[in-house]
Short mmCIF file of all heavy atoms in Angstrom, two decimals:
data_model
loop_
_atom_site.label_atom_id
_atom_site.label_comp_id
_atom_site.label_asym_id
_atom_site.label_seq_id
_atom_site.Cartn_x
_atom_site.Cartn_y
_atom_site.Cartn_z
N GLU A 1 30.74 15.81 -40.42
CA GLU A 1 29.67 16.68 -39.95
C GLU A 1 30.12 17.46 -38.71
O GLU A 1 29.81 18.64 -38.57
CB GLU A 1 28.41 15.85 -39.64
CG GLU A 1 27.74 15.27 -40.87
CD GLU A 1 28.40 13.99 -41.39
OE1 GLU A 1 29.33 13.46 -40.74
OE2 GLU A 1 28.01 13.53 -42.47
N ASN A 2 30.86 16.80 -37.83
CA ASN A 2 31.38 17.49 -36.65
C ASN A 2 32.37 18.57 -37.03
O ASN A 2 32.36 19.66 -36.46
CB ASN A 2 32.01 16.50 -35.67
CG ASN A 2 30.97 15.73 -34.90
OD1 ASN A 2 29.94 16.27 -34.53
ND2 ASN A 2 31.23 14.46 -34.66
N LEU A 3 33.23 18.28 -38.01
CA LEU A 3 34.19 19.29 -38.46
C LEU A 3 33.47 20.50 -39.06
O LEU A 3 33.87 21.64 -38.83
CB LEU A 3 35.17 18.69 -39.48
CG LEU A 3 36.17 17.68 -38.92
CD1 LEU A 3 36.95 17.03 -40.06
CD2 LEU A 3 37.11 18.34 -37.92
N VAL A 4 32.42 20.26 -39.82
CA VAL A 4 31.65 21.36 -40.41
C VAL A 4 31.09 22.25 -39.31
O VAL A 4 31.23 23.47 -39.34
CB VAL A 4 30.51 20.81 -41.31
CG1 VAL A 4 29.54 21.91 -41.70
CG2 VAL A 4 31.08 20.13 -42.55
N ILE A 5 30.46 21.64 -38.33
CA ILE A 5 29.83 22.39 -37.25
C ILE A 5 30.88 23.12 -36.41
O ILE A 5 30.76 24.32 -36.13
CB ILE A 5 28.99 21.45 -36.36
CG1 ILE A 5 27.78 20.95 -37.16
CG2 ILE A 5 28.54 22.16 -35.08
CD1 ILE A 5 27.06 19.78 -36.53
N LEU A 6 31.91 22.41 -36.01
CA LEU A 6 32.92 22.99 -35.12
C LEU A 6 33.76 24.07 -35.79
O LEU A 6 34.16 25.04 -35.15
CB LEU A 6 33.84 21.89 -34.56
CG LEU A 6 33.15 20.92 -33.60
CD1 LEU A 6 34.07 19.75 -33.29
CD2 LEU A 6 32.71 21.63 -32.32
N SER A 7 33.99 23.92 -37.09
CA SER A 7 34.82 24.92 -37.80
C SER A 7 34.11 26.28 -37.91
O SER A 7 34.76 27.29 -38.16
CB SER A 7 35.21 24.41 -39.19
OG SER A 7 34.08 24.28 -40.02
N LYS A 8 32.81 26.30 -37.71
CA LYS A 8 32.07 27.56 -37.73
C LYS A 8 32.21 28.32 -36.42
O LYS A 8 32.00 29.53 -36.38
CB LYS A 8 30.60 27.30 -38.03
CG LYS A 8 30.37 26.80 -39.44
CD LYS A 8 28.93 26.45 -39.68
CE LYS A 8 28.76 25.89 -41.09
NZ LYS A 8 27.42 25.38 -41.32
N LYS A 9 32.57 27.61 -35.36
CA LYS A 9 32.62 28.22 -34.03
C LYS A 9 34.04 28.36 -33.48
O LYS A 9 34.29 29.24 -32.66
CB LYS A 9 31.78 27.39 -33.07
CG LYS A 9 31.61 28.00 -31.71
CD LYS A 9 30.62 27.23 -30.86
CE LYS A 9 30.47 27.91 -29.52
NZ LYS A 9 29.52 27.25 -28.65
N TYR A 10 34.94 27.49 -33.91
CA TYR A 10 36.29 27.44 -33.35
C TYR A 10 37.34 27.46 -34.46
O TYR A 10 37.06 27.08 -35.60
CB TYR A 10 36.49 26.15 -32.54
CG TYR A 10 35.51 25.98 -31.42
CD1 TYR A 10 34.40 25.16 -31.57
CD2 TYR A 10 35.70 26.62 -30.20
CE1 TYR A 10 33.49 24.99 -30.52
CE2 TYR A 10 34.80 26.46 -29.16
CZ TYR A 10 33.70 25.64 -29.34
OH TYR A 10 32.81 25.48 -28.30
N ASP A 11 38.55 27.84 -34.08
CA ASP A 11 39.69 27.64 -34.96
C ASP A 11 40.12 26.19 -34.76
O ASP A 11 40.41 25.76 -33.64
CB ASP A 11 40.86 28.54 -34.57
CG ASP A 11 40.58 30.01 -34.86
OD1 ASP A 11 39.79 30.30 -35.79
OD2 ASP A 11 41.17 30.86 -34.17
N LEU A 12 40.12 25.44 -35.85
CA LEU A 12 40.50 24.04 -35.77
C LEU A 12 41.92 23.85 -36.27
O LEU A 12 42.33 24.45 -37.26
CB LEU A 12 39.55 23.17 -36.60
CG LEU A 12 38.06 23.23 -36.26
CD1 LEU A 12 37.29 22.22 -37.10
CD2 LEU A 12 37.83 23.00 -34.77
N TYR A 13 42.65 23.00 -35.57
CA TYR A 13 44.01 22.66 -35.94
C TYR A 13 44.10 21.14 -36.04
O TYR A 13 43.39 20.43 -35.33
CB TYR A 13 45.01 23.16 -34.89
CG TYR A 13 45.03 24.66 -34.78
CD1 TYR A 13 44.18 25.32 -33.90
CD2 TYR A 13 45.88 25.41 -35.55
CE1 TYR A 13 44.18 26.70 -33.80
CE2 TYR A 13 45.90 26.80 -35.47
CZ TYR A 13 45.04 27.43 -34.58
OH TYR A 13 45.06 28.79 -34.50
N LEU A 14 44.97 20.68 -36.91
CA LEU A 14 45.18 19.24 -37.06
C LEU A 14 46.62 18.92 -36.72
O LEU A 14 47.55 19.59 -37.19
CB LEU A 14 44.88 18.80 -38.50
CG LEU A 14 45.02 17.31 -38.80
CD1 LEU A 14 44.02 16.51 -37.98
CD2 LEU A 14 44.82 17.05 -40.28
N LEU A 15 46.81 17.92 -35.89
CA LEU A 15 48.12 17.44 -35.49
C LEU A 15 48.23 15.98 -35.89
O LEU A 15 47.33 15.19 -35.60
CB LEU A 15 48.29 17.59 -33.98
CG LEU A 15 49.51 16.95 -33.35
CD1 LEU A 15 50.79 17.61 -33.86
CD2 LEU A 15 49.43 17.03 -31.83
N THR A 16 49.31 15.63 -36.56
CA THR A 16 49.49 14.24 -36.92
C THR A 16 50.97 13.90 -36.89
O THR A 16 51.82 14.75 -37.15
CB THR A 16 48.87 13.93 -38.30
OG1 THR A 16 48.96 12.54 -38.56
CG2 THR A 16 49.52 14.72 -39.41
N GLN A 17 51.25 12.66 -36.53
CA GLN A 17 52.64 12.22 -36.40
C GLN A 17 52.88 11.05 -37.33
O GLN A 17 52.06 10.15 -37.46
CB GLN A 17 52.91 11.79 -34.96
CG GLN A 17 54.34 11.38 -34.72
CD GLN A 17 54.63 11.18 -33.24
OE1 GLN A 17 53.94 11.70 -32.38
NE2 GLN A 17 55.67 10.43 -32.95
N GLY A 18 54.02 11.08 -37.97
CA GLY A 18 54.41 10.01 -38.88
C GLY A 18 55.19 10.58 -40.04
O GLY A 18 55.58 11.76 -40.03
N ASN A 19 55.40 9.77 -41.03
CA ASN A 19 56.09 10.22 -42.24
C ASN A 19 55.29 11.38 -42.83
O ASN A 19 54.12 11.21 -43.20
CB ASN A 19 56.19 9.06 -43.23
CG ASN A 19 56.84 9.46 -44.52
OD1 ASN A 19 56.41 10.41 -45.18
ND2 ASN A 19 57.85 8.73 -44.91
N PRO A 20 55.90 12.56 -42.94
CA PRO A 20 55.15 13.74 -43.39
C PRO A 20 54.48 13.57 -44.76
O PRO A 20 53.35 14.01 -44.94
CB PRO A 20 56.20 14.84 -43.43
CG PRO A 20 57.23 14.42 -42.45
CD PRO A 20 57.26 12.92 -42.54
N GLU A 21 55.14 12.93 -45.68
CA GLU A 21 54.55 12.76 -47.02
C GLU A 21 53.33 11.85 -46.97
O GLU A 21 52.32 12.11 -47.64
CB GLU A 21 55.59 12.25 -48.02
CG GLU A 21 56.70 13.24 -48.29
CD GLU A 21 56.20 14.62 -48.68
OE1 GLU A 21 55.31 14.72 -49.55
OE2 GLU A 21 56.68 15.62 -48.10
N ILE A 22 53.40 10.80 -46.19
CA ILE A 22 52.26 9.89 -46.05
C ILE A 22 51.11 10.59 -45.33
O ILE A 22 49.95 10.50 -45.74
CB ILE A 22 52.67 8.60 -45.31
CG1 ILE A 22 53.60 7.77 -46.21
CG2 ILE A 22 51.45 7.79 -44.88
CD1 ILE A 22 54.21 6.56 -45.55
N GLN A 23 51.42 11.34 -44.27
CA GLN A 23 50.39 12.05 -43.53
C GLN A 23 49.71 13.10 -44.41
O GLN A 23 48.49 13.24 -44.40
CB GLN A 23 50.96 12.69 -42.26
CG GLN A 23 51.51 11.69 -41.25
CD GLN A 23 50.53 10.62 -40.85
OE1 GLN A 23 50.49 9.54 -41.42
NE2 GLN A 23 49.74 10.91 -39.84
N LYS A 24 50.50 13.82 -45.20
CA LYS A 24 49.92 14.81 -46.13
C LYS A 24 48.98 14.14 -47.12
O LYS A 24 47.91 14.67 -47.43
CB LYS A 24 51.03 15.53 -46.89
CG LYS A 24 51.80 16.53 -46.08
CD LYS A 24 52.90 17.14 -46.93
CE LYS A 24 53.89 17.92 -46.11
NZ LYS A 24 55.01 18.43 -46.93
N GLN A 25 49.38 12.97 -47.63
CA GLN A 25 48.54 12.27 -48.60
C GLN A 25 47.24 11.80 -47.96
O GLN A 25 46.18 11.89 -48.56
CB GLN A 25 49.29 11.08 -49.21
CG GLN A 25 48.50 10.37 -50.30
CD GLN A 25 48.16 11.29 -51.45
OE1 GLN A 25 49.03 11.92 -52.02
NE2 GLN A 25 46.88 11.36 -51.80
N LYS A 26 47.31 11.31 -46.73
CA LYS A 26 46.08 10.88 -46.04
C LYS A 26 45.13 12.06 -45.83
O LYS A 26 43.92 11.92 -46.03
CB LYS A 26 46.42 10.21 -44.70
CG LYS A 26 47.07 8.85 -44.86
CD LYS A 26 47.15 8.08 -43.56
CE LYS A 26 48.14 8.61 -42.60
NZ LYS A 26 48.36 7.73 -41.43
N ILE A 27 45.67 13.20 -45.45
CA ILE A 27 44.84 14.40 -45.26
C ILE A 27 44.18 14.80 -46.57
O ILE A 27 42.98 15.09 -46.62
CB ILE A 27 45.69 15.55 -44.69
CG1 ILE A 27 46.16 15.21 -43.27
CG2 ILE A 27 44.93 16.87 -44.71
CD1 ILE A 27 47.30 16.06 -42.77
N LYS A 28 44.96 14.80 -47.65
CA LYS A 28 44.44 15.15 -48.97
C LYS A 28 43.36 14.15 -49.40
O LYS A 28 42.30 14.55 -49.90
CB LYS A 28 45.58 15.17 -49.98
CG LYS A 28 45.17 15.54 -51.37
CD LYS A 28 46.36 15.56 -52.31
CE LYS A 28 45.92 15.84 -53.73
NZ LYS A 28 47.04 15.77 -54.67
N SER A 29 43.61 12.87 -49.20
CA SER A 29 42.66 11.84 -49.62
C SER A 29 41.38 11.85 -48.80
O SER A 29 40.32 11.46 -49.29
CB SER A 29 43.32 10.46 -49.52
OG SER A 29 44.40 10.38 -50.43
N ALA A 30 41.48 12.30 -47.55
CA ALA A 30 40.28 12.40 -46.70
C ALA A 30 39.51 13.68 -46.97
O ALA A 30 38.40 13.86 -46.49
CB ALA A 30 40.68 12.31 -45.24
N LYS A 31 40.13 14.60 -47.72
CA LYS A 31 39.51 15.87 -48.09
C LYS A 31 39.05 16.67 -46.87
O LYS A 31 37.91 17.13 -46.78
CB LYS A 31 38.36 15.64 -49.05
CG LYS A 31 38.79 15.00 -50.35
CD LYS A 31 37.65 14.77 -51.29
CE LYS A 31 38.21 14.14 -52.54
NZ LYS A 31 37.18 13.73 -53.47
N ILE A 32 39.99 16.88 -45.95
CA ILE A 32 39.64 17.59 -44.72
C ILE A 32 40.47 18.84 -44.48
O ILE A 32 40.21 19.58 -43.52
CB ILE A 32 39.75 16.66 -43.49
CG1 ILE A 32 41.16 16.06 -43.39
CG2 ILE A 32 38.67 15.59 -43.52
CD1 ILE A 32 41.41 15.27 -42.13
N GLU A 33 41.44 19.13 -45.33
CA GLU A 33 42.34 20.26 -45.08
C GLU A 33 41.61 21.59 -44.97
O GLU A 33 42.02 22.47 -44.22
CB GLU A 33 43.47 20.32 -46.12
CG GLU A 33 43.01 20.45 -47.55
CD GLU A 33 42.77 19.13 -48.26
OE1 GLU A 33 42.76 18.05 -47.64
OE2 GLU A 33 42.57 19.17 -49.48
N LYS A 34 40.48 21.73 -45.65
CA LYS A 34 39.76 23.01 -45.64
C LYS A 34 39.19 23.37 -44.27
O LYS A 34 38.88 24.52 -44.01
CB LYS A 34 38.63 22.98 -46.67
CG LYS A 34 37.52 22.00 -46.34
CD LYS A 34 36.47 21.96 -47.41
CE LYS A 34 35.42 20.93 -47.07
NZ LYS A 34 34.48 20.76 -48.16
N PHE A 35 39.06 22.40 -43.38
CA PHE A 35 38.48 22.66 -42.07
C PHE A 35 39.47 23.26 -41.07
O PHE A 35 39.07 23.77 -40.03
CB PHE A 35 37.90 21.38 -41.47
CG PHE A 35 36.76 20.82 -42.26
CD1 PHE A 35 36.91 19.65 -42.97
CD2 PHE A 35 35.54 21.47 -42.30
CE1 PHE A 35 35.86 19.12 -43.70
CE2 PHE A 35 34.49 20.96 -43.04
CZ PHE A 35 34.65 19.78 -43.74
N PHE A 36 40.76 23.18 -41.39
CA PHE A 36 41.78 23.50 -40.40
C PHE A 36 42.49 24.80 -40.70
O PHE A 36 42.90 25.06 -41.83
CB PHE A 36 42.78 22.35 -40.29
CG PHE A 36 42.12 21.08 -39.85
CD1 PHE A 36 41.77 20.10 -40.76
CD2 PHE A 36 41.81 20.89 -38.50
CE1 PHE A 36 41.14 18.95 -40.35
CE2 PHE A 36 41.16 19.74 -38.09
CZ PHE A 36 40.83 18.77 -39.01
N LYS A 37 42.64 25.59 -39.65
CA LYS A 37 43.37 26.85 -39.77
C LYS A 37 44.85 26.56 -40.05
O LYS A 37 45.50 27.28 -40.80
CB LYS A 37 43.22 27.64 -38.47
CG LYS A 37 43.88 28.99 -38.51
CD LYS A 37 43.56 29.79 -37.28
CE LYS A 37 44.20 31.17 -37.39
NZ LYS A 37 43.82 32.01 -36.28
#
């Protein structure tokens, strides 16, 4: 809900550290990529 609200007002970026393939899978599984520029 916060991502929905904030993405309407700000450019959102996501930063994550770790194995890139695992991090990509977590982002995909959480279904949040659409919120981030």
Side-chain angles (χ1 to χ4, degrees):
E1 291 81 6
N2 284 323
L3 290 172
V4 169
I5 292 166
L6 292 171
S7 66
K8 292 176 183 173
K9 187 172 181 179
Y10 302 99
D11 290 333
L12 302 185
Y13 296 89
L14 182 63
L15 171 64
T16 185
Q17 183 171 338
N19 178 306
E21 294 308 313
I22 290 173
Q23 297 305 93
K24 286 178 193 176
Q25 184 59 54
K26 289 192 288 189
I27 294 164
K28 181 179 176 184
S29 296
K31 298 180 180 174
I32 56 173
E33 58 270 11
K34 67 183 178 187
F35 296 110
F36 299 99
K37 183 173 182 175

